[in-house]
Amino acid sequence: MTCTLPASFPTDIKTADRAMLLGLQEQPELWNDLGRRQKERLRDLQVQASKSLDPHPTEVFEQYKEEMQSQLQELFTPAYRNSPFYQAI
């Protein structure tokens, strides 16, 4: 999981690269239009920016995964019980 935030960009990153990464984050399907070398360079910059986040979003996700799972189950259990699938069982 990579996360690109403007505040996490390295200080030596070019403005054009910064704009490209922000645009690609908003429209990820545009990665397909880039050349191989440009993709590799931008992915390296994205990974570098992602690693500078503290705490990293994956760490936060792992820490709260069980809590989020129980919240989602509480939220969707009433809808599941009212579904035709549940009533058929």
Side-chain angles (χ1 to χ4, degrees):
M1 178 174 159
T2 58
C3 186
T4 308
L5 300 173
S8 67
F9 288 133
T11 56
D12 59 343
I13 190 172
K14 297 177 185 175
T15 305
D17 291 339
R18 189 177 306 189
M20 283 286 286
L21 286 173
L22 291 173
L24 290 168
Q25 184 172 335
E26 290 297 317
Q27 295 184 350
E29 67 275 4
L30 295 177
W31 279 101
N32 297 329
D33 298 338
L34 299 175
R36 184 180 61 88
R37 290 181 191 234
Q38 193 174 20
K39 279 183 191 178
E40 289 174 359
R41 186 175 55 78
L42 289 172
R43 286 228 192 262
D44 288 343
L45 288 172
Q46 189 179 37
V47 168
Q48 184 180 358
S50 176
K51 287 181 179 177
S52 69
L53 294 173
D54 188 36
H56 195 272
T58 54
E59 294 169 8
V60 174
F61 176 76
E62 288 298 325
Q63 185 176 0
Y64 292 105
K65 182 168 51 175
E66 290 179 13
E67 183 180 333
M68 288 187 292
Q69 189 175 25
S70 67
Q71 288 175 357
L72 286 171
Q73 284 177 341
E74 287 177 27
L75 180 68
F76 289 110
T77 297
Y80 174 70
R81 287 190 179 148
N82 291 331
S83 73
F85 174 76
Y86 182 79
Q87 292 173 0
I89 294 177

